[in-house]
């Protein structure tokens, strides 16, 4: 039965790393836009929630102050290095990352794959800027710190906290453009906060942290990988242009269960012949692209992304291509990560 820290016990020591986003956004800071993301420092976000001091001993670091649409793999790798460094410190019990919601799922998945620690790593954002009526940032931040502070959150990889829900970084997706409860996972959250205490119903089934095929210290440069979303009449020359740009991998997000129109399949075959790895994914919000199901992955030498969406498939492929470009090995990685 999970228990909250009791009085008399030292509080867990948590570092909150700020990267920007709407959680640090302000309407007052701009006259040209509805609001501007990433203008408040993480220290200001913490100061707005005095009750955090009852949950944990907190210090903060400001790594970026950006709208998360500007997030990229080099920045995600630097963040993973920063979180790993902090998690390795003896006087740090957990790390919380504040982040914009737009690309939060990709960053959280990169941390899930790359940060080798059993200590809780929690990523949190907000849909409304800090100075909006009904801002969700303060409540989400408090919830994230409560999750990070609790011993049952150890060993689960990176977690994403939204409202009372605790999601696995692998499975969570932003699924609404504006609602406060904008996030969901195919099989639901891992657990939820009740009475300020996390209650877990599931644990992540796929590899994370030290168990992954990829190692942060060994990655200098992630591979160039493009996502191509097929729609009716996608000109196949777009595939050729992506190959000409130097991409080493293409994630194809097809309709339905990852279907590929014949002309696009022919262009992807040309890409494959040029050594580019092709991962077959779906543009549909939820569901599995099963290997060999409705498409001859063996015949085309493609990789099936299973239930990993195209944007997370890009993260996994960009990292995995640093260790292998063998489609069979990559399929194993997609099947287990
Ligand atoms: N554009 C913002 C960002 O991702 C949206 C948000 O945080 O909700 O940084």
């Amino acid at each position: 039965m999970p228990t909250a820290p009791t009085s008399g016990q030292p509080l867990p020591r948590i570092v909150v790393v700020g990267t920007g986003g709407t959680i640090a956004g302000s309407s007052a800071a701009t006259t040209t836009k509805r609001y501007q993301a990433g203008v408040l420092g993480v220290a200001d976000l913490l100061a707005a929630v005095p009750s955090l001091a009852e949950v944990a001993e907190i210090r903060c670091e400001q790594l970026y102050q950006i709208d998360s649409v500007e997030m990229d793999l080099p920045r995600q790798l630097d963040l993973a290095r920063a979180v790993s460094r902090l998690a390795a410190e003896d006087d740090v019990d957990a790390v919380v990352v504040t982040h914009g919601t737009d690309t939060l799922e990709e960053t959280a998945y990169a941390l899930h794959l790359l940060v080798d620690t059993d200590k809780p790593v929690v990523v949190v954002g907000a849909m409304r800027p800090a100075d909006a009526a009904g801002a969700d940032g303060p409540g989400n931040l408090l919830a994230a710190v409560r999750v990070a502070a609790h011993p049952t959150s150890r060993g689960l990889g990176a977690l994403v906290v939204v409202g009372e829900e605790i999601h696995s970084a692998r499975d969570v997706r932003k699924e609404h453009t504006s609602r406060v409860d904008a996030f969901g996972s195919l099989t639901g959250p891992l657990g939820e906060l009740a009475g300020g205490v996390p209650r877990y119903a599931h644990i992540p089934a796929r590899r994370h942290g030290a168990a992954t095929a990829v190692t942060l210290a060994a990655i200098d440069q992630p591979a160039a990988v493009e996502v191509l979303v097929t729609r009716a009449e996608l000109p196949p020359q777009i595939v050729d242009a992506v190959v000409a740009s130097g991409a080493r991998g293409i994630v194809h997000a097809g309709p339905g269960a990852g279907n590929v129109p014949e002309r696009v399949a022919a262009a992807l075959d040309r890409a494959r012949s040029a050594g580019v790895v092709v991962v077959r994914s779906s543009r549909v919000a939820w569901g599995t692209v099963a290997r060999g199901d409705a498409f001859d992955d063996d015949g085309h030498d493609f990789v099936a992304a299973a239930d990993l969406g195209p944007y997370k498939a890009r993260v996994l492929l960009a990292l995995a291509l640093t260790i292998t470009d063998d489609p069979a090995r990559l399929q194993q990685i997609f099947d287990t990560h």
Side-chain angles (χ1 to χ4, degrees):
M1 190 69 170
T3 53
T6 53
S7 58
Q9 276 183 342
L11 291 174
R13 296 151 301 179
I14 293 178
V15 185
V16 181
V17 179
T19 72
T22 294
I23 190 168
S26 164
S27 315
T30 178
T31 50
T32 54
K33 296 179 186 164
R34 197 166 57 85
Y35 75 93
Q36 194 175 338
V39 289
L40 298 178
V42 63
D44 298 318
L45 306 188
L46 294 170
V49 193
S51 53
L52 286 170
E54 294 160 25
V55 184
E57 201 182 289
I58 296 180
R59 66 182 165 94
C60 60
E61 285 193 11
Q62 189 78 50
L63 192 60
Y64 312 123
Q65 232 169 314
I66 58 172
D67 188 308
S68 79
V69 291
E70 308 301 339
M71 190 52 84
D72 52 28
L73 273 164
R75 284 190 172 115
Q76 286 162 337
L77 288 181
D78 278 345
L79 175 63
R81 290 186 192 103
V83 172
S84 300
R85 166 180 53 81
L86 291 166
E89 291 179 16
D90 289 340
D91 62 352
V92 172
D93 296 308
V95 181
V96 171
V97 176
T98 61
H99 197 287
T101 62
D102 287 349
T103 59
L104 186 149
E105 67 207 58
E106 286 145 86
T107 298
Y109 187 46
L111 298 179
H112 192 65
L113 294 169
L114 293 171
V115 178
D116 295 355
T117 183
D118 274 348
K119 294 180 185 177
V121 173
V122 179
V123 188
V124 64
M127 292 296 288
R128 295 177 181 153
D131 56 3
D136 50 332
N140 283 352
L141 186 55
L142 180 59
V145 169
R146 284 192 197 283
V147 169
H150 205 272
T152 56
S153 302
R154 291 176 64 94
L156 300 177
L159 301 169
V160 172
V161 171
V162 192
E164 259 68 55
E165 292 183 352
I166 309 162
H167 293 264
S168 169
R170 181 191 182 273
D171 299 324
V172 74
R173 292 192 203 168
K174 186 170 183 178
E175 54 185 9
H176 199 278
T177 54
S178 57
R179 271 185 356 210
V180 167
D181 59 337
F183 287 82
S185 297
L186 176 60
T187 53
L190 295 182
E192 61 181 24
L193 265 181
V197 176
R199 319 261 163 183
Y200 290 99
H202 314 285
I203 55 167
R206 303 297 193 100
R207 293 191 196 180
H208 55 84
T212 63
V214 288
T215 310
L216 181 57
I219 299 174
D220 211 21
Q221 180 103 36
V225 174
E226 268 321 315
V227 176
L228 280 179
V229 183
T230 274
R231 39 102 181 153
E233 297 154 40
L234 181 82
Q237 296 88 324
I238 289 182
V239 178
D240 302 320
V242 166
V243 174
S245 78
R248 291 187 52 213
I250 294 175
V251 176
H252 176 263
N259 293 312
V260 191
E262 276 173 24
R263 275 159 25 111
V264 175
L268 291 172
D269 286 340
R270 287 197 293 279
R272 182 70 206 112
S273 304
V276 174
V277 171
V278 178
V279 171
R280 205 166 55 81
S281 167
S282 174
R283 67 181 200 182
V284 175
W286 300 114
T288 294
V289 174
R291 185 172 183 84
D293 185 29
F295 189 85
D296 181 11
D297 290 301
D298 286 344
H300 290 265
D301 204 20
F302 292 174
V303 174
D307 61 336
L308 209 53
Y311 309 110
K312 284 187 186 174
R314 173 180 175 265
V315 171
L316 181 58
L317 185 58
L319 299 177
L321 276 171
T322 64
I323 54 167
T324 182
D325 59 5
D326 171 17
R329 174 79 183 106
L330 287 163
Q331 184 65 66
Q332 270 177 357
I333 291 174
F334 272 82
D335 287 344
T336 52
H337 288 62

